[in-house]
Amino acid sequence: MNKILVIFAHPAFEKSKVNLELCKAVKDLEGVTFRDLYEIYPDFLIDVKEEQKLLLEHDVIVLQHPFYWYSCPALMKEWIDLVLEYGFAYGHGGSALVGKLMMNAITTGGSEESYSQQGVHYYNVGEFLKVFERTAALCGMNYIPPFVVHQSSDLKSHEDISVYSDLYQKVILTLRDTTLDIRSLSEFQYINEYILDQFESWSV
Protein backbone atom coordinates (compact mmCIF):
# COMPACT_ATOMS: atom_id res chain seq x y z
CA MET A 1 0.00 0.00 0.00
CA ASN A 2 1.33 3.42 -0.97
CA LYS A 3 1.43 6.24 1.57
CA ILE A 4 -0.15 9.44 0.20
CA LEU A 5 0.90 12.96 1.21
CA VAL A 6 -1.65 15.62 0.23
CA ILE A 7 -0.16 19.13 0.32
CA PHE A 8 -3.14 21.51 0.25
CA ALA A 9 -3.03 25.29 -0.20
CA HIS A 10 -5.98 27.66 -0.49
CA PRO A 11 -5.74 31.21 0.91
CA ALA A 12 -9.54 31.57 0.96
CA PHE A 13 -10.51 28.05 1.90
CA GLU A 14 -13.67 29.15 3.71
CA LYS A 15 -15.06 30.42 0.38
CA SER A 16 -14.46 27.23 -1.58
CA LYS A 17 -17.27 24.69 -1.19
CA VAL A 18 -15.67 22.43 -3.77
CA ASN A 19 -12.25 22.29 -2.12
CA LEU A 20 -13.91 21.78 1.26
CA GLU A 21 -15.68 18.69 -0.05
CA LEU A 22 -12.61 17.43 -1.89
CA CYS A 23 -10.60 17.70 1.32
CA LYS A 24 -13.29 15.96 3.38
CA ALA A 25 -13.32 13.10 0.89
CA VAL A 26 -9.66 12.21 1.35
CA LYS A 27 -8.13 13.71 4.50
CA ASP A 28 -9.13 10.91 6.90
CA LEU A 29 -8.50 7.96 4.61
CA GLU A 30 -6.14 5.29 5.90
CA GLY A 31 -2.66 5.83 4.49
CA VAL A 32 -3.28 9.51 3.72
CA THR A 33 -1.49 12.39 5.44
CA PHE A 34 -3.20 15.74 4.83
CA ARG A 35 -1.37 19.05 5.23
CA ASP A 36 -3.21 22.38 5.02
CA LEU A 37 -0.32 24.78 4.45
CA TYR A 38 -2.25 27.99 5.21
CA GLU A 39 -3.45 26.51 8.49
CA ILE A 40 -0.02 25.21 9.53
CA TYR A 41 2.06 28.12 8.25
CA PRO A 42 -0.07 31.32 8.29
CA ASP A 43 3.19 33.27 8.71
CA PHE A 44 4.81 31.53 5.70
CA LEU A 45 7.60 30.26 8.00
CA ILE A 46 7.80 26.71 6.66
CA ASP A 47 9.53 24.01 8.72
CA VAL A 48 11.66 22.67 5.88
CA LYS A 49 13.12 19.71 7.77
CA GLU A 50 9.68 18.56 8.95
CA GLU A 51 8.29 18.80 5.41
CA GLN A 52 11.27 16.90 4.00
CA LYS A 53 10.81 14.21 6.65
CA LEU A 54 7.19 13.80 5.56
CA LEU A 55 8.21 13.56 1.92
CA LEU A 56 10.63 10.77 2.77
CA GLU A 57 7.87 8.88 4.58
CA HIS A 58 5.42 8.92 1.64
CA ASP A 59 5.28 7.38 -1.83
CA VAL A 60 2.81 9.69 -3.60
CA ILE A 61 2.82 13.51 -3.38
CA VAL A 62 -0.44 15.28 -4.28
CA LEU A 63 -0.42 19.06 -4.67
CA GLN A 64 -4.04 20.16 -4.19
CA HIS A 65 -4.87 23.81 -4.91
CA PRO A 66 -7.02 26.23 -6.87
CA PHE A 67 -5.57 27.17 -10.25
CA TYR A 68 -4.48 30.73 -9.46
CA TRP A 69 -3.15 32.65 -12.45
CA TYR A 70 -2.33 29.38 -14.20
CA SER A 71 -0.31 28.16 -11.23
CA CYS A 72 -0.59 27.55 -7.48
CA PRO A 73 -1.15 29.89 -4.51
CA ALA A 74 1.87 31.74 -3.11
CA LEU A 75 2.39 29.53 -0.05
CA MET A 76 2.54 26.37 -2.14
CA LYS A 77 5.16 28.01 -4.38
CA GLU A 78 7.09 28.95 -1.23
CA TRP A 79 6.84 25.32 -0.06
CA ILE A 80 8.22 24.09 -3.38
CA ASP A 81 11.02 26.65 -3.40
CA LEU A 82 12.19 25.86 0.13
CA VAL A 83 11.43 22.18 0.68
CA LEU A 84 12.62 20.79 -2.65
CA GLU A 85 16.09 22.13 -2.01
CA TYR A 86 19.40 21.36 -3.68
CA GLY A 87 21.10 18.33 -2.17
CA PHE A 88 17.78 16.89 -1.01
CA ALA A 89 15.45 16.84 -4.00
CA TYR A 90 17.89 17.49 -6.84
CA GLY A 91 21.51 18.21 -7.63
CA HIS A 92 24.57 16.58 -6.06
CA GLY A 93 23.34 14.04 -3.52
CA GLY A 94 19.74 15.11 -4.05
CA SER A 95 18.00 11.80 -4.67
CA ALA A 96 15.51 11.68 -1.78
CA LEU A 97 12.44 11.72 -4.02
CA VAL A 98 13.53 9.43 -6.83
CA GLY A 99 10.80 7.01 -7.88
CA LYS A 100 7.93 8.71 -6.03
CA LEU A 101 4.75 9.79 -7.81
CA MET A 102 3.57 13.39 -8.02
CA MET A 103 0.19 14.77 -9.11
CA ASN A 104 -1.69 18.09 -9.10
CA ALA A 105 -5.32 18.16 -7.95
CA ILE A 106 -6.77 21.49 -9.04
CA THR A 107 -10.01 23.46 -9.32
CA THR A 108 -10.52 26.02 -12.07
CA GLY A 109 -13.16 28.64 -12.71
CA GLY A 110 -12.93 28.13 -16.47
CA SER A 111 -14.40 25.33 -18.55
CA GLU A 112 -12.29 22.65 -20.21
CA GLU A 113 -13.10 24.28 -23.58
CA SER A 114 -11.72 27.61 -22.38
CA TYR A 115 -8.36 25.88 -21.86
CA SER A 116 -7.66 25.26 -25.54
CA GLN A 117 -6.32 27.13 -28.55
CA GLN A 118 -9.89 28.13 -29.37
CA GLY A 119 -10.56 29.26 -25.80
CA VAL A 120 -9.75 32.38 -23.80
CA HIS A 121 -6.77 30.71 -22.04
CA TYR A 122 -5.30 29.42 -25.35
CA TYR A 123 -3.28 26.62 -23.73
CA ASN A 124 -4.66 23.47 -22.13
CA VAL A 125 -4.26 22.71 -18.44
CA GLY A 126 -1.52 20.16 -19.09
CA GLU A 127 0.57 22.79 -20.86
CA PHE A 128 0.20 25.21 -17.94
CA LEU A 129 1.20 22.45 -15.52
CA LYS A 130 4.45 21.71 -17.35
CA VAL A 131 6.37 23.58 -14.64
CA PHE A 132 5.16 21.02 -12.08
CA GLU A 133 5.88 18.14 -14.46
CA ARG A 134 9.42 19.40 -15.00
CA THR A 135 9.91 19.97 -11.27
CA ALA A 136 8.93 16.35 -10.66
CA ALA A 137 11.27 15.17 -13.41
CA LEU A 138 14.20 17.17 -12.04
CA CYS A 139 13.62 15.45 -8.69
CA GLY A 140 13.45 12.00 -10.30
CA MET A 141 9.71 11.68 -9.59
CA ASN A 142 7.11 10.32 -11.99
CA TYR A 143 4.49 12.97 -12.78
CA ILE A 144 1.01 11.64 -13.49
CA PRO A 145 -1.93 13.46 -15.18
CA PRO A 146 -3.79 15.88 -12.88
CA PHE A 147 -7.14 15.57 -11.20
CA VAL A 148 -9.13 18.59 -12.43
CA VAL A 149 -12.48 20.12 -11.52
CA HIS A 150 -13.48 22.71 -14.13
CA GLN A 151 -16.02 25.50 -13.54
CA SER A 152 -15.89 24.85 -9.83
CA SER A 153 -17.69 28.11 -9.03
CA ASP A 154 -20.72 26.83 -10.96
CA LEU A 155 -21.06 23.78 -8.72
CA LYS A 156 -23.59 24.88 -6.12
CA SER A 157 -25.44 21.84 -4.84
CA HIS A 158 -24.06 19.08 -2.65
CA GLU A 159 -25.11 16.57 -5.32
CA ASP A 160 -23.11 18.35 -8.05
CA ILE A 161 -20.02 18.66 -5.87
CA SER A 162 -20.19 15.10 -4.53
CA VAL A 163 -19.74 13.75 -8.07
CA TYR A 164 -16.23 15.19 -8.00
CA SER A 165 -15.44 14.55 -4.34
CA ASP A 166 -16.40 10.88 -4.81
CA LEU A 167 -14.24 10.72 -7.93
CA TYR A 168 -11.31 12.38 -6.13
CA GLN A 169 -11.60 9.85 -3.32
CA LYS A 170 -11.51 7.05 -5.90
CA VAL A 171 -8.35 8.57 -7.41
CA ILE A 172 -6.61 8.69 -4.03
CA LEU A 173 -7.67 5.14 -3.15
CA THR A 174 -6.40 3.91 -6.52
CA LEU A 175 -3.06 5.59 -5.90
CA ARG A 176 -2.93 4.24 -2.34
CA ASP A 177 -3.84 0.69 -3.25
CA THR A 178 -1.34 0.59 -6.15
CA THR A 179 -4.01 -0.44 -8.63
CA LEU A 180 -3.00 2.31 -11.05
CA ASP A 181 -1.75 1.28 -14.50
CA ILE A 182 0.92 3.94 -15.01
CA ARG A 183 1.48 3.00 -18.66
CA SER A 184 -2.20 3.49 -19.51
CA LEU A 185 -2.29 6.89 -17.82
CA SER A 186 -0.35 8.55 -20.65
CA GLU A 187 -3.42 8.09 -22.86
CA PHE A 188 -5.44 10.48 -20.70
CA GLN A 189 -5.25 14.25 -20.22
CA TYR A 190 -6.70 14.02 -16.70
CA ILE A 191 -6.61 11.17 -14.21
CA ASN A 192 -10.38 11.76 -13.89
CA GLU A 193 -10.79 10.23 -17.35
CA TYR A 194 -8.64 7.23 -16.46
CA ILE A 195 -10.70 6.46 -13.34
CA LEU A 196 -13.97 6.85 -15.24
CA ASP A 197 -12.62 4.55 -17.94
CA GLN A 198 -11.74 1.96 -15.31
CA PHE A 199 -15.11 2.22 -13.64
CA GLU A 200 -17.55 2.65 -16.49
CA SER A 201 -20.54 2.65 -14.21
CA TRP A 202 -19.43 6.01 -12.87
CA SER A 203 -20.83 9.02 -14.69
CA VAL A 204 -20.02 12.76 -14.47
Side-chain angles (χ1 to χ4, degrees):
M1 185 173 78
N2 279 330
K3 294 184 70 177
I4 313 289
L5 178 61
V6 178
I7 302 295
F8 172 68
H10 197 315
F13 186 28
E14 71 282 359
K15 297 180 180 178
S16 176
K17 291 182 180 178
V18 175
N19 270 287
L20 177 63
E21 294 303 319
L22 293 179
C23 292
K24 283 182 180 177
V26 304
K27 64 185 302 183
D28 295 323
L29 293 174
E30 181 184 2
V32 172
T33 301
F34 182 85
R35 305 277 288 174
D36 182 345
L37 294 183
Y38 279 93
E39 181 178 76
I40 301 169
Y41 303 116
D43 52 7
F44 275 55
L45 297 177
I46 294 171
D47 185 337
V48 172
K49 295 304 178 189
E50 174 63 17
E51 297 300 320
Q52 290 179 345
K53 176 175 175 289
L54 287 167
L55 285 172
L56 290 171
E57 293 171 350
H58 292 78
D59 308 293
V60 182
I61 316 302
V62 178
L63 303 179
Q64 181 186 338
H65 57 92
F67 205 36
Y68 275 12
W69 288 106
Y70 310 117
S71 187
C72 62
L75 184 51
M76 181 168 284
K77 182 61 167 63
E78 180 83 348
W79 184 93
I80 293 170
D81 289 347
L82 297 181
V83 177
L84 305 185
E85 65 180 352
Y86 182 90
F88 172 77
Y90 73 101
H92 182 69
S95 59
L97 306 180
V98 171
K100 298 179 186 291
L101 298 180
M102 179 174 146
M103 181 188 84
N104 290 89
I106 66 172
T107 53
T108 77
S111 65
E112 185 171 356
E113 294 72 24
S114 72
Y115 286 92
S116 67
Q117 286 193 359
Q118 291 73 42
V120 66
H121 303 297
Y122 192 75
Y123 298 105
N124 65 45
V125 167
E127 290 171 307
F128 284 117
L129 292 177
K130 285 295 181 187
V131 290
F132 294 94
E133 183 176 344
R134 290 310 308 159
T135 298
L138 186 62
C139 297
M141 292 190 281
N142 298 306
Y143 185 81
I144 59 178
F147 175 83
V148 182
V149 180
H150 282 292
Q151 295 178 283
S152 59
S153 57
D154 293 342
L155 300 174
K156 304 297 185 185
S157 71
H158 175 74
E159 289 72 22
D160 289 342
I161 296 172
S162 66
V163 170
Y164 292 95
S165 59
D166 289 348
L167 184 59
Y168 185 44
Q169 184 181 75
K170 196 70 178 175
V171 168
I172 296 300
L173 290 174
T174 300
L175 289 167
R176 185 197 69 180
D177 297 338
T178 64
T179 54
L180 192 71
D181 183 351
I182 296 290
R183 289 174 298 179
S184 297
L185 265 180
S186 61
E187 302 170 13
F188 299 92
Q189 181 181 6
Y190 302 154
I191 198 169
N192 312 37
E193 300 160 357
Y194 168 84
I195 295 296
L196 290 170
D197 183 70
Q198 297 297 305
F199 301 92
E200 293 182 351
S201 60
W202 288 51
S203 176
V204 174

